[in-house]
Each structure stands twice: as C-alpha cells, then as structure tokens.
C-alpha cells in the first residue's frame, strides 16, 4: 500500500480515539447480551492456613469448586474431594522420592480447626467435619499399630518402650471403641481430638458492642443514673400514657433507648431486610 502525504498529530489522536471507541462499544454490547447470572449456582472457595517450619503463618489457596447445592454435606464432600486430589497429585509427582506416599487420612488428622461464618449450614459443616476427622484419627491409629507390629516381627530396630506404649494405648482405643478411648488421660484425648471453630470477626465486634451497651445500662441502674429517653413504639407509648399499672410497667421494661436503639430503628427504616418495609 502506498501512502501519499503525512498524517498530522491531531489526526492520529482522532484515529486512536475512534479505534478505542470502535473496540469498546461492541464489547460492551456483547457482554450485555450474555447471561452471566450466578443465581442457583454455588461456588465454594477453599483456603488452608498452617504454620511453616520457620514458625510463620502461611495461607494457601486450595481452589474453587462448583457445587450442586449449598448443604453442609455437599460442602464436606467438597473438602474431601480437594484433599483427595491434593494427595493424589502429590503422590503422582513424588514417585521414587524419599518423601514417601501421603495418606489423605493423615493429612486430615492434622486439621486443628476451621474458620467460617455463623450460618446454620456452617455450624453443621463443622460438626460433620469433626466427625470425619475423628473417624480418620482412629483409622490412622490402627494403621500405626499394624506398622509397629510389623516392625517388631521383622526384627527391625525396636522403638523406645514409651513410644510403643503410646501407640498401643491409642490404637487399642480405636479397636475396642470410643468407651475405652474416653478412659485415656485428658492431655492424650485433647491432643488427638483437638479441634476448634472460629467465626468471622464481624460478629465478634457486634457482640463486643452489645456487651458494652448492656454493661453500661446496668451501670445506670446500679448508680441511680437516669439513662437515655426510652424510644417506645406506638403500643408501648399508649400503654404508658393511660393503661393499667402492670401494662405501664411492662411497657417501660421492654422499651429501650440510647444510641444502640436509635441505630436499630434507623436500620429498620433505611436498610430493612424486607423490601416492603422501610424506605
């Protein structure tokens, strides 16, 4: 192509702007035509936090999975799939290495807690995960006993007696059931079954505010200090103005005042969970 003449700087700027517009406008139009709604689709993100060899905390992303629903059992199955896939990949990559084969059950026994929100499905998930972990702990103990017996029969180096007694005690607890396991000492049981559940900090901050507000209201009563004006609803206000003495006393007892009540009323007006109420 032969180009005659030169393009001015101003024309070049106009051409680039038109090219940008020509590229962005169709893209936006195409995106608007695509149905990208996430309704009725459940995606679960997994993260694992642990302490490294140098005592520093490490958090790793373990992937996102599409789940058919948001039930606790489905979420637990998602964790099972993630851990199984991780161990399978590790074992396939470490063939012939000195690291050895990783048993998914042993990885699960190293889990010492979970961090979720306070929803009911998460509470049930914690309960299911704890049960799953306890089953694997008993299986790992049994596995350790069998390996110990093979070492002793094979004439290999005999482990210390304290190690043998510990393995036998824990493994026997698995074989004869949970009743005998409960007979272990408290430190032994806590070491094996240790598992904590932590919730999100939002609720902790909210509980701190509610607790502080409750203590402040109690201080007013103990020290004879008049608290803030009660912010009564229509029914309680009517009861205190002309009702029976018992009704008046009850209305005053159930009514609240102060900043916490004012904020709760403001939330009901401007951010009500029911779209048909408030503004």
């Amino acid at each position: 192509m032969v180009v005659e003449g030169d393009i001015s700087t101003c024309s070049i700027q106009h051409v680039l702007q038109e090219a940008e517009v020509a590229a962005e406008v169709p893209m936006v139009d195409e995106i608007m035509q695509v149905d990208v709604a996430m309704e009725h689709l459940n995606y679960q993100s997994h993260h694992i936090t642990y302490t490294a060899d140098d005592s520093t905390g490490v958090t790793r992303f373990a992937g996102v999975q599409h789940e058919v629903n948001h039930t606790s059992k489905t979420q637990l199955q998602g964790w099972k799939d993630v851990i199984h896939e991780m161990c399978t990949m590790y074992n396939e990559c470490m063939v012939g290495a000195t690291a050895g084969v990783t048993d998914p059950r042993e990885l699960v026994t190293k889990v010492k807690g979970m961090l979720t929100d306070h929803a009911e499905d998460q509470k049930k998930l914690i309960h299911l995960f704890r049960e799953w972990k306890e089953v694997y702990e008993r299986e790992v103990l049994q596995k350790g006993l069998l390996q110990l017996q093979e070492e002793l029969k094979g004439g290999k180096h005999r482990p210390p007696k304290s190690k043998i007694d510990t393995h036998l005690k824990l493994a026997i607890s698995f074989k004869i059931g949970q009743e005998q396991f409960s007979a272990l000492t408290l430190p032994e049981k806590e070491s094996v079954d240790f598992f904590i559940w932590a919730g999100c900090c939002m609720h902790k901050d909210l509980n701190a505010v509610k607790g502080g507000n409750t203590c402040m209201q109690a201080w007013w009563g103990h020290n004879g200090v008049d608290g803030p004006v009660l912010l009564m609803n229509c029914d309680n206000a009517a009861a205190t103005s002309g009702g029976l003495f018992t009704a008046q006393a009850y209305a005053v007892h159930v009514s609240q005042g102060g900043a916490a009540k004012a904020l709760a009323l403001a939330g009901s007006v401007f951010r009500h969970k029911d779209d048909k109420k408030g503004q």
Side-chain angles (χ1 to χ4, degrees), residues 46-173:
H46 301 86
H47 294 78
I48 300 176
T49 301
Y50 57 92
T51 303
D53 293 336
D54 57 355
S55 300
T56 58
V58 179
T59 299
R60 302 297 188 191
F61 175 61
V64 176
Q65 284 190 329
H66 172 236
E67 298 178 344
V68 295
N69 54 52
H70 200 61
T71 63
S72 303
K73 291 184 178 180
T74 301
Q75 295 179 58
L76 176 64
Q77 186 60 46
W79 273 112
K80 291 181 178 181
D81 295 340
V82 167
I83 294 176
H84 178 75
E85 292 173 1
M86 291 171 54
C87 293
T88 300
M89 181 65 67
Y90 176 85
N91 293 332
E92 291 177 352
C93 294
M94 301 300 291
V95 174
T98 58
V101 177
T102 298
D103 189 338
R105 297 176 299 180
E106 296 181 359
L107 192 149
V108 174
T109 60
K110 294 181 178 294
V111 178
K112 299 302 180 183
M114 294 186 69
L115 173 64
T116 69
D117 58 26
H118 291 77
E120 293 300 323
D121 64 308
Q122 297 301 299
K123 294 179 181 179
K124 184 176 180 180
L125 172 62
I126 297 299
H127 179 73
L128 295 175
F129 197 101
R130 188 195 299 270
E131 290 181 344
W132 177 46
K133 178 176 180 288
E134 290 179 355
V135 171
Y136 272 10
E137 285 169 346
R138 306 308 186 264
E139 293 181 1
V140 170
L141 294 176
Q142 185 186 40
K143 176 183 176 181
L145 173 62
L146 296 177
Q147 292 177 347
L148 185 62
Q149 291 175 341
E150 291 179 359
E151 292 181 4
L152 296 177
K153 291 180 179 179
K156 297 182 179 180
H157 176 67
R158 185 181 180 88
K161 184 178 184 300
S162 59
K163 181 179 179 180
I164 297 177
D165 293 341
T166 301
H167 279 281
L168 288 176
K169 184 184 295 184
L170 295 176
I172 290 174
S173 68

Side-chain angles (χ1 to χ4, degrees), residues 4 12 32 37 64 68 129 151 159 183 191 206 211 269:
E4 297 180 0
I12 293 176
M32 296 302 296
V64 176
V68 295
F129 197 101
E151 292 181 4
S191 176
L206 178 60
V269 174

Side-chain angles (χ1 to χ4, degrees), residues 232 235-236 238-254:
M232 298 183 179
D235 295 334
N236 290 335
T240 56
S241 61
L244 299 175
F245 176 78
T246 54
Q248 293 179 359
Y250 179 78
V252 172
H253 177 71
V254 299

